[in-house]
């Protein structure tokens, strides 16, 4: 039985794709998330900013249940993630059921996480075939379309080691899209890249935003947040300090902690 005893009772509108409610997460005595609430509507881009150690990456990892929540709950498209509800309590799902849920939640890591022994095409095909039981020919056709979308249709037979960091990250984005996820999570997708490669990755994410992909992006790229985000969230100390449209949060922040952070990064 999970230690989580709260349960969703409010009626969430169909427009809300990601619903984070009262989420706490601790590692030993260190409380990393301290009651986070966040809603992301279908087709919107939410950018999360904040200093190192503020809980941004941990929050992303709870959304697809890479980290278990200690209290609260998370739902995507109205479905609880990682838990089932019974008798007013939440019980953790079996691993196979969690893995099935994760196919609807794309995750792009800062260090690419590509399979080094597989070609670019094979990296994109592996999960749709093994997890979704897609016919290989269909999966390969989809993979080639996605590689063209991220500008890498000529790299299908290359191995990750033969690509630049920016190219590897674009492959990682295409791989996440291959599962046709309901939401895409990005954990500082440009932080491992040389400065001259950042733009090519951000351009791909901007294109996804224009096509209505629901995304949560943890990043330090303030210009990207200003240009692409529907909502900017500032986190510090494991809580959401403030959130709102980019112009409000970035140009007229209400909280001292937000102003102090922005004064260091702008």
């Amino acid at each position: 039985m999970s230690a989580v005893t709260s349960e969703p009772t409010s009626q969430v509108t169909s427009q809300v794709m990601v619903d984070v409610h009262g989420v706490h997460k601790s590692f030993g005595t260190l409380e990393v998330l301290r009651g986070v609430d966040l809603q992301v509507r279908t087709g919107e881009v939410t950018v999360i900013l904040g200093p190192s150690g503020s809980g941004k990456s941990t929050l992303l990892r709870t959304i697809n249940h890479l980290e278990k929540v200690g209290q609260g709950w998370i739902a995507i498209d109205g479905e609880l993630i990682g838990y089932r509800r019974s008798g007013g309590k939440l019980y953790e799902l079996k691993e196979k059921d969690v893995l099935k849920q994760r196919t609807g939640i794309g995750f792009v890591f800062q260090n690419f996480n590509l399979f080094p022994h597989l070609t670019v095409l094979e990296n994109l095909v592996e999960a749709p075939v093994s997890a979704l039981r897609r016919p290989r020919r269909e999966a390969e056709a989809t993979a080639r379309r996605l590689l063209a979308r991220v500008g890498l249709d000529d790299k299908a037979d290359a191995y990750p080691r033969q690509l630049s960091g920016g190219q590897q990250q674009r492959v990682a984005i295409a791989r996440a899209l291959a599962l046709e996820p309901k939401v895409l999570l990005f954990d500082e997708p440009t932080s491992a890249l040389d400065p001259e490669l950042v733009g090519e990755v951000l351009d791909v994410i901007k294109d996804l935003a224009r096509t209505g992909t629901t995304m949560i992006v943890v990043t330090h790229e303030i210009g990207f947040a200003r240009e692409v985000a529907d909502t900017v969230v500032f986190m510090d100390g494991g809580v959401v300090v403030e959130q709102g449209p980019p112009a409000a949060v970035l140009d007229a922040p209400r909280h001292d902690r937000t102003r102090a952070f922005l004064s260091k990064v702008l």
Side-chain angles (χ1 to χ4, degrees):
M1 185 178 73
S2 166
V4 183
T5 56
S6 55
E7 61 172 322
T9 55
S10 59
Q11 294 298 310
V12 179
T13 70
S14 60
Q15 289 181 293
V16 175
M17 178 58 72
V18 182
D19 193 13
V20 177
H21 181 86
V23 165
H24 290 252
K25 175 65 183 179
S26 296
F27 296 100
T29 59
L30 178 64
E31 193 174 16
V32 180
L33 299 177
R34 297 165 39 223
V36 174
D37 293 308
L38 179 68
Q39 287 191 336
V40 179
R41 295 187 178 278
T42 302
E44 290 191 345
V45 179
T46 294
V47 171
I48 303 178
L49 305 174
S52 297
S54 59
K56 309 182 301 295
S57 294
T58 300
L59 176 60
L60 278 195
R61 293 172 67 84
T62 62
I63 290 174
N64 78 338
H65 206 64
L66 282 173
E67 298 289 353
K68 302 174 186 179
V69 302
Q71 186 178 327
W73 51 265
I74 296 166
I76 292 183
D77 201 15
E79 179 183 6
L80 281 172
I81 298 300
Y83 299 92
R84 61 180 176 82
R85 193 168 55 241
S86 179
K89 294 185 178 182
L90 302 183
Y91 295 83
E92 191 169 13
L93 295 176
K94 295 179 180 178
E95 182 64 16
K96 65 180 179 64
D97 296 318
V98 174
L99 291 173
K100 183 177 180 181
Q101 287 187 329
R102 283 197 193 123
T103 63
I105 311 167
F107 204 121
V108 179
F109 300 86
Q110 54 184 296
N111 291 316
F112 325 136
N113 283 20
L114 299 176
F115 296 114
H117 62 290
L118 299 181
T119 66
V120 166
L121 185 69
E122 289 166 343
N123 263 279
L124 268 66
V125 167
E126 192 272 336
V129 170
S130 62
L132 300 183
R133 300 291 186 258
R134 296 258 172 86
R136 177 166 289 274
R137 181 177 295 183
E138 176 187 319
E140 287 188 0
T142 299
R144 291 184 186 280
R145 285 198 301 273
L146 290 170
L147 288 174
R149 184 174 179 180
V150 300
L152 293 173
D153 46 334
D154 60 334
K155 300 294 185 181
D157 298 321
Y159 286 89
R161 66 180 179 275
Q162 298 171 308
L163 305 179
S164 70
Q167 290 171 329
Q168 289 187 63
Q169 193 61 296
R170 285 188 279 156
V171 172
I173 294 171
R175 182 178 64 177
L177 290 170
L179 289 171
E180 299 178 4
K182 296 177 178 180
V183 60
L184 268 179
L185 310 177
F186 293 86
D187 188 8
E188 301 197 19
T190 61
S191 65
L193 301 178
D194 293 331
E196 67 270 18
L197 302 177
V198 169
E200 66 186 65
V201 173
L202 292 181
D203 285 344
V204 169
I205 302 174
K206 290 174 187 175
D207 177 67
L208 293 174
R210 284 190 288 268
T211 59
T213 304
T214 308
M215 295 188 284
I216 303 175
V217 186
V218 169
T219 184
H220 291 293
E221 299 288 340
I222 303 298
F224 169 82
R226 190 185 302 277
E227 180 181 352
V228 177
D230 296 290
T231 300
V232 171
V233 174
F234 175 69
M235 288 185 66
D236 193 17
V239 299
V240 173
V241 176
E242 68 178 294
Q243 60 183 303
V249 176
L250 300 177
D251 298 332
R254 294 177 289 114
H255 291 269
D256 290 341
R257 280 192 285 178
T258 316
R259 287 193 288 269
F261 172 78
L262 292 172
S263 71
K264 296 174 183 176
V265 298
L266 288 177

